[in-house]
Amino acid sequence: MSSAATSSQAPVDGQTRIHPTAVVDPAAQIDLGVEIGPFAVVGPEVRIGAGSRIGPHVVLDGRVTLGRGNRIFPGACIGAEPQDLKYNGAPTEVVIGDDNSIRECVTINRATHDGEQTRIGNGNLLMAYSHLGHNCHLGDRIVIANGVAVAGHVVIGDRAVIGGVLGIHQFVHIGTMAMLGGMSRIDRDVPPFAIVEGHPGRLRGLNRIGIKRSGLAALDDGAQAKQLQEVWAQLYRGDAVLAEALQRVRAWDLYPPAETLVSFLEASIGPGRRGPLPAQRP
């Protein structure tokens, strides 16, 4: 439903609760069951899905769409203008899915050019003081730890884990289930299922624990995980350069996880991408 709440109103109904000190524009769309805490600011182009909780001093500015069941913790700022000198005032967006936890003082900027979005999927955890730049696209069930700086146009795949106090260069792609060690420098693409650590960041191997926890290791009596390890060895432990190794494994009958890895790397070495991080040799 649309809310006509202002900073002086009591809750809109028995379920939706807006603190008297919150400033909520009458044009904002607030669904049932939403809680908005003290001194929060909600702009006129904001939509908040049912059951979401907006903490004290949160700012939702510009075109922001929040799905259902999101928790926005104190001091977060979502939808502010991008930190991009090319921005000319276009009515860009931030679109966030369902059941995300966005912790204290997280900042998420809207996109740069007309018709573009900064997008976040479902079930993600963005820990305190992390920053998500303009035009970033996040999948589902991602964990971004405290103090992470994600530059513009970064793409992060499902179930990736990003360690604390690290930086991700603009236009970098992070593959599904990748794990990035804290305080690393991420200036090139990170393949799916990989572990990265270091300054500069280097591939250390497969995320074996994450693969096991995901249930992937049990599929087809372990054949899918075994093939993924074999493909990784061909790509990063053999003598061939990456492009040649990709041609070799492309001839194999690949299970979905190995196909995901190979397709990601083929795209990463193609035009318009930054290329993958190199591996740390034994």
Side-chain angles (χ1 to χ4, degrees), residues 42 48 81 113 128 157 176 184 188 196 201 224 270:
V42 179
I48 304 176
E81 291 185 4
H113 297 298
T176 182
S184 297
R188 295 166 69 179
V196 169
Q224 294 198 30

Short mmCIF file of all heavy atoms in Angstrom, two decimals, residues 42 48 81 113 128 157 176 184 188 196 201 224 270:
data_model
loop_
_atom_site.label_atom_id
_atom_site.label_comp_id
_atom_site.label_asym_id
_atom_site.label_seq_id
_atom_site.Cartn_x
_atom_site.Cartn_y
_atom_site.Cartn_z
N VAL A 42 13.15 8.72 4.22
CA VAL A 42 12.69 7.94 3.07
C VAL A 42 12.17 8.90 2.02
O VAL A 42 11.22 9.66 2.26
CB VAL A 42 11.58 6.94 3.48
CG1 VAL A 42 11.10 6.15 2.28
CG2 VAL A 42 12.11 5.99 4.57
N ILE A 48 9.23 0.17 -0.41
CA ILE A 48 9.72 -0.75 0.61
C ILE A 48 8.75 -1.92 0.71
O ILE A 48 7.56 -1.73 1.00
CB ILE A 48 9.87 -0.06 1.98
CG1 ILE A 48 10.79 1.17 1.86
CG2 ILE A 48 10.43 -1.04 3.00
CD1 ILE A 48 10.92 1.96 3.14
N GLU A 81 23.47 9.58 -5.05
CA GLU A 81 24.08 9.76 -6.36
C GLU A 81 25.39 8.98 -6.46
O GLU A 81 26.14 8.86 -5.48
CB GLU A 81 24.37 11.24 -6.61
CG GLU A 81 23.13 12.09 -6.79
CD GLU A 81 23.48 13.53 -7.17
OE1 GLU A 81 24.68 13.82 -7.35
OE2 GLU A 81 22.56 14.35 -7.27
N HIS A 113 24.05 6.11 -15.68
CA HIS A 113 23.38 6.59 -16.88
C HIS A 113 21.90 6.19 -16.90
O HIS A 113 21.49 5.21 -16.28
CB HIS A 113 24.08 6.08 -18.12
CG HIS A 113 25.49 6.58 -18.26
ND1 HIS A 113 25.79 7.92 -18.39
CD2 HIS A 113 26.67 5.91 -18.29
CE1 HIS A 113 27.11 8.06 -18.48
NE2 HIS A 113 27.67 6.86 -18.42
N ALA A 128 29.07 -4.23 8.07
CA ALA A 128 29.19 -2.81 8.38
C ALA A 128 30.28 -2.12 7.57
O ALA A 128 31.34 -2.68 7.30
CB ALA A 128 29.48 -2.63 9.87
N GLY A 157 28.93 -13.10 -8.31
CA GLY A 157 28.05 -14.25 -8.49
C GLY A 157 27.51 -14.80 -7.18
O GLY A 157 27.97 -14.45 -6.08
N THR A 176 30.72 -17.34 -9.08
CA THR A 176 29.92 -17.99 -8.05
C THR A 176 30.80 -18.81 -7.11
O THR A 176 31.76 -19.47 -7.52
CB THR A 176 28.85 -18.89 -8.69
OG1 THR A 176 28.05 -19.49 -7.67
CG2 THR A 176 29.47 -20.00 -9.53
N SER A 184 42.92 -8.49 0.70
CA SER A 184 43.50 -8.75 -0.62
C SER A 184 43.24 -7.58 -1.55
O SER A 184 42.36 -6.75 -1.31
CB SER A 184 42.91 -10.03 -1.21
OG SER A 184 43.23 -11.16 -0.43
N ARG A 188 41.53 -7.93 -10.90
CA ARG A 188 41.14 -8.69 -12.10
C ARG A 188 40.07 -9.70 -11.70
O ARG A 188 39.75 -9.87 -10.52
CB ARG A 188 42.36 -9.37 -12.72
CG ARG A 188 43.37 -8.36 -13.26
CD ARG A 188 44.72 -8.98 -13.57
NE ARG A 188 44.66 -9.88 -14.72
CZ ARG A 188 45.73 -10.52 -15.18
NH1 ARG A 188 46.92 -10.35 -14.60
NH2 ARG A 188 45.62 -11.32 -16.22
N VAL A 196 41.05 -16.77 -3.39
CA VAL A 196 42.00 -15.71 -3.72
C VAL A 196 42.51 -15.10 -2.43
O VAL A 196 41.75 -14.89 -1.48
CB VAL A 196 41.34 -14.62 -4.60
CG1 VAL A 196 42.23 -13.40 -4.72
CG2 VAL A 196 41.02 -15.17 -5.97
N GLY A 201 46.30 -9.83 -5.34
CA GLY A 201 45.58 -11.08 -5.18
C GLY A 201 46.06 -12.13 -6.17
O GLY A 201 46.35 -11.84 -7.33
N GLN A 224 31.11 -34.77 -10.20
CA GLN A 224 31.13 -33.37 -10.63
C GLN A 224 32.27 -32.61 -9.96
O GLN A 224 32.99 -31.82 -10.61
CB GLN A 224 29.80 -32.70 -10.34
CG GLN A 224 28.65 -33.28 -11.16
CD GLN A 224 27.44 -32.37 -11.20
OE1 GLN A 224 27.56 -31.16 -11.12
NE2 GLN A 224 26.26 -32.96 -11.33
N GLY A 270 38.15 -12.49 -22.96
CA GLY A 270 37.61 -11.89 -24.16
C GLY A 270 37.64 -10.37 -24.11
O GLY A 270 38.07 -9.76 -23.12
#
